[in-house]
Amino acid sequence: MDFFRKFFGGGDTPSAKAAKERLRIVLIHDRTDISPQLLESLRVEMIAVLTKYMDIDESKIEMDLDHDESAVALVANIPVLRIKRGASDTLADDLTDAKIPPHTESLRNQNIRSRRRR
Amino acid sequence: MGARVIVITSGKGGVGKTTSTANIAVALAKAGKRVVAVDTDIGLRNLDMVMGLESRVVYNFIDVIEKNCKLTQALVRDKRVENLYLLPAAQTRTKDAVSPAQMAELCSQLRPDFDFVLLDCPAGIEGGFKNAAAGADEALVVTTPEVPAVRDADRIIGMLESMGKSPIRLVINRFRAIMVQNNEMLSQEDILDVLSIKLIGIVPEDDSVIKAANRGEPLTFAQESPAAQAYANIAARILGENVPLLQWDSYRSKGLFSSLKKMFGF
């Protein structure tokens, strides 16, 4: 075992420490891994929201999660054909008129936190 | 003809299917065989971590089945030994993403290029087990000398027999000779009496197993610990060699050792 430890550059790290580090890295990936179905339903819902505001080229949308050692990003490339100016102003008015409860923001933050604990 | 396809299964979880798969795969590869270890535990993959290959997983066997990639793209080569590959499971899918027929088809795709296809089976007797067993010719049933594990092993053996798998052989894992000697643990005779199948090896309880999994370096690479030796012997028996069972010091006690001798003829 010692031979392998030296050979693979594990140094003298105790195995429990190695275990924790390997788990940390793999869980970053596991927790942000997304099934094809989920990604597809995200895509459909995003298109639905975006098309309220703009015309987009649905056939050229690229969307995926980018992983590196310590972070994950949702990267989406969505070609915009035209902004629906009239529509967006009306929508904006609607939003201002709507009563948004004061605790919405903190609720949203909570949701983001709880998502990690799936 | 091609590879022998062997499913490693147990019924009960946590008895050492994945550890056994990794170690036997490494031992067979070290013996010069072309080996692929397939993680069939969709949604709960772990063989990649036990083998230390998790950072190199790109595709999985569902990508192969759904034709998102070629089979060769999904195979992760273990650089530490010649001719050892891992075919990972999908982590974000569920067991019903594949059918037994698709698994059998996948196994037949692997057959021409390998000597051994080892299928690491999920716990349970439902879809996951049926998928894994579908493509296999032979089976290794892993149990520990504990009542629930032996009971579940019996259930699995019955199902494997009705599926026509042969041979079906038993691995007794986490065996503690001293407890057996003190009559506080089921002996291999007890277990074989109850299950009435052939034994292929006994793996002693060994701290090295946990340390090896911590680092992702299967024990059989170094072959220094008792468990590593036991797994190497199991691999040799799979290859048809007549290797006697390991003898531990505590076995030298008269009664047990002589009954062992009688049983296994050495």
Side-chain angles (χ1 to χ4, degrees):
Chain A
M1 209 29 110
D2 280 343
F3 163 76
F4 276 92
R5 216 170 288 164
K6 281 182 199 120
F7 193 78
F8 296 112
D12 287 314
T13 325
S15 80
K17 210 172 164 189
K20 195 174 174 195
E21 183 56 20
R22 294 177 63 226
L23 272 173
R24 193 186 63 78
I25 291 167
V26 86
L27 290 183
I28 289 173
H29 289 242
D30 280 1
R31 286 177 183 155
T32 53
D33 219 353
I34 192 166
S35 70
Q37 295 96 317
L38 207 66
L39 195 64
E40 181 54 25
S41 93
L42 174 62
R43 205 178 70 94
V44 169
E45 285 189 45
M46 272 180 61
I47 291 172
V49 172
L50 290 170
T51 48
K52 280 204 240 169
Y53 299 88
M54 57 192 77
D55 289 334
I56 56 177
D57 187 347
E58 290 185 32
S59 64
K60 289 189 179 140
I61 293 177
E62 287 169 25
M63 210 168 88
D64 209 349
L65 287 172
D66 255 22
H67 296 259
D68 70 19
E69 272 290 281
S70 57
V72 180
L74 174 67
V75 179
N77 192 346
I78 305 167
V80 179
L81 300 173
R82 186 178 52 227
I83 306 289
K84 294 179 179 171
R85 301 217 180 269
S88 65
D89 291 345
T90 338
L91 274 169
D93 289 345
D94 287 353
L95 278 179
T96 341
D97 291 346
K99 287 197 172 68
I100 300 166
H103 60 274
T104 307
E105 190 62 22
S106 65
L107 263 182
R108 210 187 55 173
N109 287 340
Q110 257 172 29
N111 284 340
I112 290 168
R113 271 197 299 276
S114 64
R115 203 179 59 97
R116 288 207 43 208
R117 302 239 110 233
R118 264 186 300 173
Chain B
M1 172 59 224
R4 283 165 66 184
V5 183
I6 307 176
V7 61
I8 289 107
T9 183
S10 70
K12 188 176 176 298
V15 297
K17 287 179 295 297
T18 303
T19 304
S20 298
T21 306
N23 281 293
I24 294 168
V26 170
L28 286 170
K30 279 180 71 183
K33 300 297 170 189
R34 295 168 301 165
V35 182
V36 58
V38 185
D39 190 343
T40 71
D41 201 346
I42 304 165
L44 293 170
R45 78 168 175 225
N46 272 322
L47 187 58
D48 55 336
M49 287 222 84
V50 173
M51 292 179 79
L53 299 173
E54 72 276 8
S55 62
R56 298 188 30 230
V57 172
V58 181
Y59 294 108
N60 56 65
F61 75 79
I62 299 208
D63 289 322
V64 178
I65 285 171
E66 294 181 346
K67 298 197 167 38
N68 298 326
C69 73
K70 288 184 187 148
L71 177 57
T72 46
Q73 290 177 293
L75 291 171
V76 182
R77 191 171 78 84
D78 194 319
K79 295 171 181 167
R80 295 164 291 192
V81 60
E82 286 286 307
N83 291 321
L84 175 60
Y85 293 83
L86 165 72
L87 184 52
Q91 181 71 339
T92 55
R93 305 294 291 274
T94 55
K95 308 287 191 250
D96 41 77
V98 293
S99 67
Q102 286 173 316
M103 282 300 297
E105 165 60 24
L106 182 75
C107 290
S108 48
Q109 281 183 52
L110 290 166
R111 274 179 203 269
D113 298 321
F114 292 95
D115 297 313
F116 285 96
V117 178
L118 301 185
L119 304 168
D120 182 21
C121 181
I125 55 171
E126 298 84 11
F129 161 74
K130 286 178 178 142
N131 283 338
D137 314 313
E138 314 173 23
L140 294 183
V141 176
V142 183
T143 189
T144 58
E146 290 160 287
V147 170
V150 175
R151 183 191 191 188
D152 291 2
D154 185 62
R155 186 104 168 80
I156 281 291
I157 291 163
M159 297 179 84
L160 290 165
E161 279 171 347
S162 70
M163 293 164 113
K165 308 299 169 193
S166 173
I168 303 167
R169 291 181 285 187
L170 187 72
V171 175
I172 302 178
N173 195 18
R174 310 195 64 169
F175 190 81
R176 292 162 73 174
I178 292 170
M179 281 193 76
V180 173
Q181 201 179 8
N182 295 335
N183 295 315
E184 301 288 1
M185 179 176 266
L186 290 167
S187 70
Q188 70 265 43
E189 293 89 339
D190 295 335
I191 297 169
L192 293 175
D193 254 7
V194 174
L195 295 179
S196 57
I197 61 165
K198 282 223 170 86
L199 181 70
I200 194 160
I202 301 174
V203 182
E205 174 85 22
D206 185 343
D207 288 357
S208 318
V209 173
I210 292 175
K211 293 183 205 164
N214 282 347
R215 293 185 193 281
E217 291 165 9
L219 283 172
T220 33
F221 275 125
Q223 221 182 91
E224 281 169 7
S225 66
Q229 188 57 52
Y231 278 121
N233 287 350
I234 289 172
R237 292 183 195 114
I238 289 173
L239 293 169
E241 289 170 39
N242 192 6
V243 188
L245 277 177
L246 281 180
Q247 299 163 35
W248 296 286
D249 283 347
S250 46
Y251 266 31
R252 302 252 152 76
S253 80
K254 214 174 157 192
L256 198 50
F257 187 54
S258 55
S259 65
L260 247 185
K261 270 174 97 166
K262 206 163 44 179
M263 182 150 202
F264 297 102
F266 61 87

